Amino acid sequence: CGIKTPVWRVVYKSDGELEALAHTLHRSFPQPSVVKPLSLGSSVGVAIARSIADIASALQKVFTLADAALVEEYIAGAEATVGVVEGFRGEELYPLLPVEIVPAHGSPFFDYEAKYGGASQEICPGRFSAADSKALQELAARAHRLLGLRHYSRSDFIIHPRRGIYFLEVNTLPGLTPESLLPKALAAVGAPLSEF
């Protein structure tokens, strides 16, 4: 559908012995890789694997949490998230301003600790070029529409400095606490939660 994603593969606990599976995964697409539970949120169980042993260890951890894992190419770059609200301010789909996520120093990604420990920065509007901001908003709205989502969603992206924007995932029920990203993006367009 014209939306770039990292190279990926879903693997299951029942797929066989972990070492053999890790060897196959290491050879099958670019490394390093991200290993995460297929069906959990908040970055629970997510690991960046740089070797066969790392992949096997990450899969072992994931399979204590879920029966399936998503293994994908690690894309380095700026992290962004964009909320989309249906029927907001007279628009069929209203994409909010992109939020830039700056993980804590030394953290390779926006992990559970960075999300809930307050160590990361969440900047809205993000410090992206006008072209990248517009593209992020268009991609988030397109993902919302293509996936048949309703009411509101929040899509996560990585912007690689040379390869462009990659879609990572969509949050179909993003958090609405005062610390959550969607309310911060609403505030950036002057919308209190009561208007939302």
Side-chain angles (χ1 to χ4, degrees):
C1 298
I3 300 175
K4 282 194 291 193
T5 64
V7 176
W8 60 274
R9 180 173 168 200
V10 174
V11 295
Y12 299 90
K13 190 187 280 191
S14 59
D15 282 350
E17 195 266 324
L18 284 181
E19 282 297 321
L21 188 54
H23 275 276
T24 300
L25 290 167
H26 192 266
R27 287 190 314 266
S28 62
F29 55 86
Q31 296 300 319
S33 55
V34 178
V35 180
K36 58 186 173 181
L38 187 60
S39 60
L40 295 178
S42 296
S43 297
V44 171
V46 177
I48 296 178
R50 300 184 186 283
S51 67
I52 294 169
D54 287 349
I55 294 172
S57 175
L59 286 173
Q60 184 173 26
K61 180 179 177 182
V62 165
F63 291 151
T64 65
L65 301 168
D67 291 332
L70 176 64
V71 182
E72 60 188 2
E73 168 191 18
Y74 173 73
I75 308 286
E79 296 188 47
T81 191
V82 180
V84 174
V85 184
E86 289 185 8
F88 191 65
R89 294 184 169 173
E91 292 190 32
E92 181 187 346
L93 287 181
Y94 187 101
L96 298 169
L97 296 170
V99 177
E100 179 183 359
I101 299 165
V102 182
H105 181 69
S107 179
F109 66 99
F110 194 42
D111 63 9
Y112 185 88
E113 290 302 319
K115 285 178 184 180
Y116 300 108
S120 63
Q121 286 183 288
E122 297 152 356
I123 302 163
C124 188
R127 301 168 295 182
F128 307 115
S129 70
D132 282 346
S133 291
K134 183 177 183 201
L136 287 163
Q137 290 175 302
E138 289 172 355
L139 288 166
R142 189 183 320 161
H144 184 94
R145 188 178 294 111
L146 288 167
L147 293 170
L149 304 181
R150 297 182 354 181
H151 310 303
Y152 64 101
S153 66
R154 201 191 80 234
S155 293
D156 298 338
F157 302 91
I158 291 287
I159 305 170
H160 187 276
R162 291 183 314 280
R163 295 167 58 191
I165 299 172
Y166 283 80
F167 173 82
L168 297 179
E169 66 182 21
V170 66
N171 299 273
T172 57
L173 193 59
L176 293 176
T177 70
E179 291 78 35
S180 298
L181 296 168
L182 191 74
K184 288 178 182 181
L186 286 162
V189 295
L193 274 177
S194 57
E195 181 186 356
F196 168 74

